[in-house]
Each structure stands twice: as structure tokens, then as C-alpha cells.
Amino acid sequence: MKEQIDVLMATYNGEKYLEEQINSILNQTYQNIRLIISDDCSKDGTKEILKKYQKDERIEIHYQEKNLGYIKNFEFLIKQETNPLFMLADQDDIWLPEKIEKSYETLKNNNADLVFGDLEVVDENLKTIHKSFGEFMRLNRKIKKCINSYKVNYLYNCVTGCTTLCKKEMISKIMPVPNKSEYVPHDHWLGIIVGVNGKLAYMPQPYIKYRQHGNNAIGTEKRSHKFTKLEQVRKLFIEIKLGVFGTYVDNNERFPKELQEVNTKALNYYKMLEQKKNFNFKGWKIFHQLYKTETFMYYIENFIIMNMPLIGKGLFKIRHFTLKLLGKR
């Protein structure tokens, strides 16, 4: 018999879609699983739904006495892990029947430490919004190019937690999970730490219907699309990178020595950019080091936004106006 896999699910006020998601996990073609659920003090009917499943020997349910927040609830679930492999599950998606089986096969065939995959983005009624999350978020090229390197998840997050299958032996490196910045959620941390310590593998086929319903903790909304001024975009971009590299530096001892220096230089670079308003002529070397694996257009766009915002303002207005005419803003 194939080894047992733990599926870890954090719940909070998820009554609307929870039962459908649990059933999709229990009805997998790969049946040797244990579903571990931790409810974080839900105030709706989530607990009543969970009680329906308490007699199922495949399910283990925990009810928290006080609200932990999703990072600490994730850590709690990780600590319950006893099997060689674990997966993460959101409370509101739908898993296609072969998701676990295909993840397991990919992990074994690639001798990987963590597998992640694409998703089909759907609305609350499961109507397709985007066939590929990776294409919509422009992640697939980066993943394909950098999958054999930590770089796939270094500059920004390409690993969606609910698609992952990971080896238990990685837990000692992942824990504790930083919670200082909202821009480094648990799946970002999982992806970068496994990336620098082990091997990642990717499934381009979507085996999850990734439901977007307005109450997602993390979803597909691009905040920068709402902005009408380049200054707003630049401020957000710098804020995100300060959160990312600030987290890295706070945990520098968990990175290889060659990356510790890069982390520190990158953090100092973005701190310096906070003080610049029109032009910057310093730190271009570290910018190139961070962005050299990106597409040419992504590289140029970010270079202008970060270092030449005075020039970028006019270009941004033209681009924003054009996209608005095309109905993309």
C-alpha cells in the first residue's frame, strides 16, 4: 500500500463551501489519507458541519479555544503531522479526484521535496474565470525557467499553498513560520525555504478549482490595478519588497551564506528607494541581480518604477488610459 498522506486544513467561518471541499478530498483516487482539520474559533456554522465528520476514521478535528490567526493555525496543523508527506488545503476550493495521486506521482518521479501546481480560477458557483492561475498571474514563465532553483520563489511568491505536497523532513527547516509581514504568507515561506534546502517540482495541469468569492484570505486580486498614479504603485512595490527582504534578513541564519549577503543588500536597496522621489543612481547592481531572470519588459518596467519614477509618470498615465479604454482597468 502507498504511504499515508496527511492533508492539513485550517478552517474559519467557512460554512458556505466547507462540506463540498471536504467531500472532494475524501473522494480522491488516492485513498490512504488522513485529513487533519483545525478550526480557529469559527462563529458561523462551521463547527456543526465538522461534527458531521467526527466519526470518519480518516478525519481528525481540533477546535481552538482562542483565535490563533491563519499563520499560527497553520503552525498548529504542521505540529500534528506524523506521516512522511503532507498537503495543505483551503476550506473553500474543490479538489479534482486525481489531485493527490498526480501530486504523489510527480513528487516520486522527480525525486522532489515539494510539489506545487497550477489552479483553475472559478467564481463562487464554480464557473471558470481563468483556466490557468499561473498564466493570469504571469507566473508560468518564471516557474518553467527557474523550477530547479530557489529563484522560482525568491523575488516573489510562485508557490500556491493549497497545491502543495511536501516531505515531512522539511518541517524542521520551515518552522517557525515568520509572521512579521503580510507579504510573506506561509506558502511563500514554505516555497523559499524548501527551494534553498531541497528540490521543487511543478504540475502545469490544474487539479484544483480555486474559488474566488470576495472573502478569500489570499486570492487573485491585483491591488496595483486600482491605482491611478505611479506614486501609489511604487509605494506598494517598495512596501512589498521591504516586507519580503525584511523577513529574509530577520531569518538570515536559515539561508545559505551566499544569499544572506544578497538579502541584506536588497533590504538596504529598498530602504534607500523610500527616500528617493524622482531619480536614483545607486544600487543598480543589486537590482540587476534580483531581476535578471525576469522578462525584459518586467525588468524595464520595474527599473523605471523604482529608479526613474519622474520619467515613468508620463508612461504610466498613457498605459493606464489605454488599459481603461480596453476595459482592463
Side-chain angles (χ1 to χ4, degrees), residues 113-276:
D113 298 290
L114 181 146
V115 170
F116 67 105
D118 203 353
L119 317 93
E120 177 190 356
V121 184
V122 299
D123 65 15
E124 59 183 7
N125 297 312
L126 302 180
K127 182 180 179 180
T128 301
I129 301 173
H130 305 290
K131 291 183 178 180
S132 168
F133 177 81
E135 286 299 320
F136 173 69
M137 300 296 282
R138 299 181 180 179
L139 302 175
N140 282 352
R141 176 208 162 269
K142 177 71 173 287
I143 293 169
K144 184 177 180 180
K145 183 177 182 180
C146 300
I147 190 59
N148 294 319
S149 167
Y150 70 87
K151 293 177 182 178
V152 73
N153 222 54
Y154 184 69
L155 186 60
Y156 50 82
N157 186 33
C158 290
V159 174
T160 308
C162 61
T163 70
T164 57
L165 169 65
C166 185
K167 290 182 177 178
K168 180 188 177 183
E169 61 198 60
M170 287 289 127
I171 291 177
S172 61
K173 301 181 184 300
I174 296 164
M175 297 285 279
V177 180
N179 60 2
K180 182 177 178 180
S181 173
E182 66 177 296
Y183 301 117
V184 186
H186 63 287
D187 48 2
H188 186 156
W189 184 249
L190 180 67
I192 186 59
I193 291 300
V194 175
V196 298
N197 289 284
K199 183 179 180 181
L200 302 175
Y202 182 64
M203 297 189 301
Q205 304 86 355
Y207 292 107
I208 291 184
K209 291 186 179 293
Y210 188 45
R211 198 186 319 242
Q212 300 296 292
H213 48 77
N215 295 315
N216 303 76
I218 300 173
T220 60
E221 182 181 2
K222 296 184 178 181
R223 289 167 58 182
S224 61
H225 283 186
K226 296 180 179 180
F227 296 149
T228 58
K229 296 181 179 180
L230 182 68
E231 294 92 329
Q232 296 171 299
V233 176
R234 185 173 187 267
K235 182 179 179 181
L236 176 62
F237 283 10
I238 293 173
E239 181 183 310
I240 290 172
K241 292 302 184 284
L242 287 174
V244 170
F245 289 106
T247 300
Y248 291 175
V249 170
D250 285 346
N251 296 273
N252 241 357
E253 72 282 356
R254 299 163 76 177
F255 286 83
K257 288 185 178 180
E258 63 269 21
L259 273 184
Q260 293 179 14
E261 184 178 355
V262 178
N263 293 342
T264 302
K265 286 182 177 180
L267 179 61
N268 291 335
Y269 170 71
Y270 287 104
K271 284 182 177 179
M272 178 266 296
L273 287 180
E274 279 191 300
Q275 311 305 318
K276 304 291 184 177

